[in-house]
Amino acid sequence: GENVEQHPSTLSVQEGDSAVIKCTYSDSASNYFPWYKQELGKGPQLIIDIRSNVGEKKDQRIAVTLNKTAKHFSLHITETQPEDSAVYFCAASIYGTASKLTFGTGTRLQVTL
Amino acid sequence: DAGITQSPRHKVTETGTPVTLRCHQTENHRYMYWYRQDPGHGLRLIHYSYGVKDTDKGEVSDGYSVSRSKTEDFLLTLESATSSQTSVYFCAISESNREQETQYFGPGTRLLVL
Protein backbone atom coordinates (compact mmCIF):
# COMPACT_ATOMS: atom_id res chain seq x y z
CA GLY A 1 0.00 0.00 0.00
CA GLU A 2 0.84 3.66 -0.04
CA ASN A 3 3.39 5.05 2.41
CA VAL A 4 3.75 8.78 3.07
CA GLU A 5 6.74 10.21 4.91
CA GLN A 6 6.69 13.76 6.26
CA HIS A 7 9.53 15.99 7.45
CA PRO A 8 10.33 17.72 9.68
CA SER A 9 8.29 16.56 12.66
CA THR A 10 8.69 19.96 14.32
CA LEU A 11 9.47 23.35 12.83
CA SER A 12 9.97 26.67 14.54
CA VAL A 13 10.11 29.89 12.53
CA GLN A 14 10.00 33.57 13.37
CA GLU A 15 6.96 35.57 12.41
CA GLY A 16 7.29 36.80 8.86
CA ASP A 17 9.65 34.04 7.78
CA SER A 18 8.73 31.21 5.41
CA ALA A 19 8.05 27.61 6.40
CA VAL A 20 8.46 24.54 4.21
CA ILE A 21 7.17 21.05 4.97
CA LYS A 22 8.08 18.13 2.73
CA CYS A 23 6.42 14.80 2.03
CA THR A 24 7.33 11.81 -0.08
CA TYR A 25 5.01 9.06 -1.27
CA SER A 26 5.66 5.55 -2.50
CA ASP A 27 2.79 4.65 -4.84
CA SER A 28 3.28 6.17 -8.27
CA ALA A 29 -0.46 5.73 -8.91
CA SER A 30 -1.29 8.36 -6.27
CA ASN A 31 -2.57 11.49 -7.94
CA TYR A 32 -4.30 13.57 -5.27
CA PHE A 33 -2.37 15.33 -2.49
CA PRO A 34 -4.21 17.38 0.14
CA TRP A 35 -2.74 19.28 3.07
CA TYR A 36 -4.55 19.63 6.38
CA LYS A 37 -4.06 21.98 9.31
CA GLN A 38 -5.05 20.81 12.77
CA GLU A 39 -5.39 23.15 15.69
CA LEU A 40 -5.41 21.90 19.25
CA GLY A 41 -8.58 20.02 20.12
CA LYS A 42 -10.04 20.26 16.63
CA GLY A 43 -10.37 18.09 13.57
CA PRO A 44 -8.04 18.50 10.58
CA GLN A 45 -9.04 21.23 8.15
CA LEU A 46 -8.19 21.16 4.47
CA ILE A 47 -6.03 24.13 3.53
CA ILE A 48 -4.92 23.29 0.01
CA ASP A 49 -4.76 20.33 -2.34
CA ILE A 50 -3.18 19.47 -5.65
CA ARG A 51 -3.78 16.91 -8.33
CA SER A 52 -0.99 15.32 -10.31
CA ASN A 53 -1.86 17.13 -13.54
CA VAL A 54 -0.35 20.36 -12.14
CA GLY A 55 3.02 21.09 -10.61
CA GLU A 56 2.14 24.00 -8.34
CA LYS A 57 -0.88 25.61 -6.75
CA LYS A 58 -1.12 28.80 -4.72
CA ASP A 59 -3.70 30.27 -2.40
CA GLN A 60 -2.62 33.58 -0.90
CA ARG A 61 0.28 32.80 1.47
CA ILE A 62 0.11 29.06 0.93
CA ALA A 63 1.49 27.09 -1.97
CA VAL A 64 2.01 23.43 -2.75
CA THR A 65 4.50 22.02 -5.24
CA LEU A 66 4.52 18.52 -6.67
CA ASN A 67 7.35 16.57 -8.30
CA LYS A 68 5.82 13.41 -9.74
CA THR A 69 9.13 12.03 -10.95
CA ALA A 70 10.69 12.21 -7.50
CA LYS A 71 7.38 11.41 -5.80
CA HIS A 72 7.50 14.30 -3.40
CA PHE A 73 5.39 17.32 -2.65
CA SER A 74 5.87 20.30 -0.38
CA LEU A 75 3.84 22.91 1.48
CA HIS A 76 5.16 26.46 1.50
CA ILE A 77 3.84 29.10 3.87
CA THR A 78 5.14 32.62 3.34
CA GLU A 79 4.99 35.58 5.73
CA THR A 80 4.10 33.30 8.63
CA GLN A 81 1.85 34.60 11.37
CA PRO A 82 1.22 33.34 14.92
CA GLU A 83 -2.13 31.90 13.81
CA ASP A 84 -0.27 29.59 11.44
CA SER A 85 0.96 27.68 14.50
CA ALA A 86 -0.63 24.22 14.30
CA VAL A 87 0.06 20.65 13.21
CA TYR A 88 0.12 20.14 9.45
CA PHE A 89 -0.53 16.83 7.73
CA CYS A 90 0.11 15.84 4.16
CA ALA A 91 -1.80 12.99 2.53
CA ALA A 92 -1.96 11.06 -0.71
CA SER A 93 -4.60 9.05 -2.48
CA ILE A 94 -5.67 7.78 -5.85
CA TYR A 95 -8.39 10.07 -7.10
CA GLY A 96 -11.62 8.26 -7.78
CA THR A 97 -11.11 5.49 -5.23
CA ALA A 98 -13.32 6.88 -2.48
CA SER A 99 -10.47 9.11 -1.30
CA LYS A 100 -8.75 6.55 0.85
CA LEU A 101 -6.17 8.95 2.15
CA THR A 102 -2.81 7.88 3.51
CA PHE A 103 -1.47 10.51 5.87
CA GLY A 104 1.99 11.60 6.87
CA THR A 105 2.85 11.70 10.55
CA GLY A 106 2.45 15.45 10.89
CA THR A 107 4.60 18.55 11.40
CA ARG A 108 4.16 20.77 14.41
CA LEU A 109 4.76 24.34 13.26
CA GLN A 110 5.43 27.03 15.82
CA VAL A 111 5.59 30.65 14.74
CA THR A 112 7.38 32.76 17.29
CA LEU A 113 7.12 36.53 17.69
CA ASP B 1 -16.95 21.14 10.30
CA ALA B 2 -18.96 20.68 7.10
CA GLY B 3 -22.11 19.68 9.00
CA ILE B 4 -20.47 16.78 10.81
CA THR B 5 -21.10 15.99 14.45
CA GLN B 6 -19.57 13.23 16.53
CA SER B 7 -20.87 11.79 19.77
CA PRO B 8 -19.79 11.41 22.40
CA ARG B 9 -16.95 13.91 22.30
CA HIS B 10 -15.21 12.26 25.24
CA LYS B 11 -15.55 8.79 26.70
CA VAL B 12 -13.82 6.76 29.38
CA THR B 13 -14.50 3.04 29.42
CA GLU B 14 -13.07 -0.16 30.79
CA THR B 15 -11.26 -2.93 28.96
CA GLY B 16 -13.66 -5.52 27.59
CA THR B 17 -16.71 -3.29 27.32
CA PRO B 18 -18.39 -2.50 24.01
CA VAL B 19 -18.27 1.07 22.78
CA THR B 20 -20.14 2.74 19.93
CA LEU B 21 -19.18 6.08 18.45
CA ARG B 22 -21.57 7.98 16.23
CA CYS B 23 -20.94 10.23 13.28
CA HIS B 24 -23.80 12.30 11.92
CA GLN B 25 -23.80 14.42 8.77
CA THR B 26 -26.45 16.80 7.54
CA GLU B 27 -25.44 17.21 3.90
CA ASN B 28 -26.25 13.85 2.33
CA HIS B 29 -22.69 12.93 1.34
CA ARG B 30 -22.19 9.46 -0.05
CA TYR B 31 -18.79 8.68 1.47
CA MET B 32 -18.05 8.54 5.18
CA TYR B 33 -14.86 7.48 6.97
CA TRP B 34 -13.56 6.62 10.40
CA TYR B 35 -9.92 7.41 11.29
CA ARG B 36 -7.93 7.10 14.46
CA GLN B 37 -5.18 9.52 15.38
CA ASP B 38 -2.22 8.52 17.52
CA PRO B 39 1.08 10.28 18.21
CA GLY B 40 3.70 9.33 15.65
CA HIS B 41 1.16 7.75 13.31
CA GLY B 42 -0.85 10.61 11.91
CA LEU B 43 -4.36 9.56 10.93
CA ARG B 44 -5.07 5.99 9.92
CA LEU B 45 -8.19 4.77 8.16
CA ILE B 46 -10.26 2.23 10.11
CA HIS B 47 -13.32 1.72 7.91
CA TYR B 48 -15.20 3.64 5.29
CA SER B 49 -18.62 3.61 3.69
CA TYR B 50 -19.63 4.36 0.13
CA GLY B 51 -23.37 4.17 0.70
CA VAL B 52 -26.10 2.80 2.94
CA LYS B 53 -25.07 -0.69 4.05
CA ASP B 54 -21.93 -0.48 1.88
CA THR B 55 -18.76 -0.51 3.94
CA ASP B 56 -15.18 -1.65 3.59
CA LYS B 57 -12.06 -2.05 5.68
CA GLY B 58 -9.24 0.38 5.98
CA GLU B 59 -5.67 0.06 7.16
CA VAL B 60 -6.38 -0.65 10.85
CA SER B 61 -9.76 -2.39 10.95
CA ASP B 62 -9.02 -5.22 13.40
CA GLY B 63 -11.18 -4.92 16.53
CA TYR B 64 -13.61 -2.49 14.91
CA SER B 65 -16.91 -2.85 13.09
CA VAL B 66 -19.10 -0.26 11.40
CA SER B 67 -22.66 0.14 10.28
CA ARG B 68 -24.50 2.58 8.07
CA SER B 69 -28.25 2.09 8.02
CA LYS B 70 -29.01 5.69 7.01
CA THR B 71 -27.13 8.09 4.77
CA GLU B 72 -26.59 10.54 7.60
CA ASP B 73 -25.24 8.17 10.28
CA PHE B 74 -22.05 6.10 10.38
CA LEU B 75 -21.42 4.11 13.56
CA LEU B 76 -18.08 2.74 14.75
CA THR B 77 -18.20 -0.09 17.28
CA LEU B 78 -15.43 -1.47 19.41
CA GLU B 79 -16.85 -4.89 20.27
CA SER B 80 -14.56 -5.38 23.27
CA ALA B 81 -12.43 -2.33 23.97
CA THR B 82 -8.72 -2.73 24.64
CA SER B 83 -6.17 -0.26 25.95
CA SER B 84 -4.56 -0.13 22.50
CA GLN B 85 -7.77 1.44 21.22
CA THR B 86 -7.25 4.50 23.39
CA SER B 87 -7.09 7.19 20.74
CA VAL B 88 -8.79 10.17 19.16
CA TYR B 89 -11.33 9.09 16.57
CA PHE B 90 -12.28 11.29 13.66
CA CYS B 91 -15.14 10.91 11.26
CA ALA B 92 -14.88 12.40 7.79
CA ILE B 93 -17.15 12.86 4.82
CA SER B 94 -16.24 13.19 1.20
CA GLU B 95 -17.58 15.48 -1.40
CA SER B 96 -16.95 13.31 -4.40
CA ASN B 97 -17.82 14.25 -7.93
CA ARG B 98 -16.14 14.39 -11.29
CA GLU B 99 -14.43 17.65 -10.43
CA GLN B 100 -13.36 17.28 -6.85
CA GLU B 101 -12.84 14.72 -4.16
CA THR B 102 -12.27 16.38 -0.82
CA GLN B 103 -12.54 15.03 2.70
CA TYR B 104 -13.81 17.10 5.60
CA PHE B 105 -13.37 16.06 9.19
CA GLY B 106 -15.55 16.19 12.26
CA PRO B 107 -14.41 17.49 15.67
CA GLY B 108 -13.27 14.11 16.99
CA THR B 109 -14.02 11.78 19.90
CA ARG B 110 -11.40 11.25 22.57
CA LEU B 111 -11.61 7.68 23.91
CA LEU B 112 -9.74 6.39 26.93
CA VAL B 113 -9.83 2.66 27.63
CA LEU B 114 -8.71 1.81 31.16
Side-chain angles (χ1 to χ4, degrees):
Chain A
E2 175 66 277
N3 181 52
V4 177
E5 295 190 356
Q6 183 171 347
H7 300 280
S9 56
T10 60
L11 179 59
S12 182
V13 299
Q14 286 197 322
E15 184 179 6
D17 288 350
S18 295
V20 180
I21 302 170
K22 299 182 179 181
C23 290
T24 60
Y25 61 99
S26 61
D27 189 345
S28 57
S30 290
N31 55 14
Y32 175 64
F33 307 94
W35 285 88
Y36 287 84
K37 175 183 180 182
Q38 186 177 26
E39 297 176 336
L40 192 63
K42 296 185 178 181
Q45 286 190 300
L46 180 74
I47 55 172
I48 195 168
D49 57 12
I50 191 169
R51 292 179 63 182
S52 60
N53 57 350
V54 297
E56 183 176 4
K57 185 176 179 180
K58 289 183 179 180
D59 183 3
Q60 299 183 337
R61 298 186 296 108
I62 295 173
V64 57
T65 59
L66 172 65
N67 184 325
K68 289 168 51 181
T69 302
K71 290 190 285 189
H72 67 70
F73 55 111
S74 300
L75 177 71
H76 304 255
I77 306 174
T78 58
E79 301 173 12
T80 54
Q81 301 169 2
E83 52 265 39
D84 294 328
S85 296
V87 179
Y88 291 81
F89 292 95
C90 63
S93 75
I94 300 172
Y95 189 91
T97 58
S99 278
K100 287 185 288 183
L101 294 171
T102 299
F103 282 84
T105 51
T107 297
R108 182 174 299 277
L109 173 64
Q110 183 171 2
V111 180
T112 58
L113 298 174
Chain B
D1 291 328
I4 306 169
T5 57
Q6 292 185 233
S7 58
R9 293 293 313 279
H10 303 271
K11 186 169 182 66
V12 180
T13 191
E14 294 185 349
T15 299
T17 61
V19 176
T20 296
L21 308 183
R22 180 183 183 236
C23 177
H24 179 78
Q25 58 145 328
T26 59
E27 300 182 10
N28 211 36
H29 294 291
R30 177 182 175 189
Y31 295 100
M32 299 184 75
Y33 311 81
W34 277 107
Y35 291 87
R36 61 177 288 173
Q37 183 175 39
D38 304 290
H41 290 279
L43 291 101
R44 292 179 291 174
L45 182 65
I46 305 171
H47 281 280
Y48 68 101
S49 169
Y50 44 97
V52 173
K53 298 187 179 176
D54 292 324
T55 65
D56 205 350
K57 296 179 179 180
E59 177 188 357
V60 290
S61 60
D62 287 349
Y64 301 95
S65 63
V66 290
S67 65
R68 192 168 177 200
S69 58
K70 298 185 291 184
T71 299
E72 58 266 35
D73 289 325
F74 192 31
L75 304 181
L76 177 70
T77 297
L78 291 65
E79 302 289 349
S80 177
T82 67
S83 59
S84 64
Q85 293 176 311
T86 291
S87 187
V88 182
Y89 291 86
F90 287 99
C91 174
I93 58 91
S94 177
E95 293 180 351
S96 181
N97 54 48
R98 292 177 65 85
E99 301 300 323
Q100 184 175 350
E101 191 165 285
T102 302
Q103 280 190 34
Y104 296 94
F105 286 80
T109 293
R110 189 172 296 272
L111 176 66
L112 174 60
V113 183
L114 299 174

